[in-house]
Amino acid sequence: MSELFVFDERLGIALPSLNQDWDEYEHDVQQQILLQWENIRGSIPDRIRDLESIINQKQDALSNENNFSRSCELNTEIAEMASIINDLWLWYRTNQHISSKRHT
């Protein structure tokens, strides 16, 4: 089952890596995939919260930073984390309907 999910270092979560159409998987494999995805998906808000906390720390550091180079680095780091948060929300929302299939 783990080969159907690949850990994404940037996002900090495992993502589905399905190499065939959904209907080609056996029903019990589909159920295992959905259960695993639901668990991963449930961890996304916590991951986002952690990143937001780091962003807040970096913004505090930025407001006190006098070195222009370091300010640019902090801005870049904040922008990257914001991009990660955006991608995590996309995964969370895009796959919401997949998790609901398990209940139908």
Side-chain angles (χ1 to χ4, degrees):
M1 182 62 53
S2 62
E3 67 276 356
L4 297 175
F5 290 85
V6 176
F7 189 78
D8 184 289
E9 292 289 333
R10 179 177 171 270
L11 299 181
I13 62 168
L15 296 176
S17 179
L18 307 179
N19 56 6
Q20 57 191 48
D21 289 334
W22 181 252
D23 294 332
E24 294 177 22
Y25 290 101
E26 294 180 21
H27 179 73
D28 55 326
V29 173
Q30 289 177 351
Q31 294 304 308
Q32 291 172 356
I33 292 168
L34 290 174
L35 180 61
Q36 187 168 351
W37 173 246
E38 195 167 291
N39 289 333
I40 293 167
R41 188 175 164 273
S43 72
I44 291 175
D46 291 334
R47 175 79 175 124
I48 290 170
R49 199 171 10 264
D50 292 344
L51 291 170
E52 287 173 339
S53 175
I54 295 169
I55 286 174
N56 289 336
Q57 293 169 7
K58 289 184 182 290
Q59 286 176 326
D60 288 344
L62 181 60
S63 67
N64 297 319
E65 185 58 60
N66 293 322
N67 181 307
F68 180 73
S69 266
R70 181 63 186 140
S71 293
C72 291
E73 290 172 11
L74 286 167
N75 270 321
T76 300
E77 292 168 9
I78 290 168
E80 176 57 23
M81 289 190 171
S83 173
I84 292 168
I85 289 171
N86 185 57
D87 290 348
L88 286 168
W89 276 123
L90 289 173
W91 273 104
Y92 185 79
R93 290 185 182 125
T94 300
N95 292 291
Q96 190 170 10
H97 70 282
I98 293 173
S99 292
S100 67
K101 280 186 178 182
R102 184 172 158 257
H103 302 294
T104 59

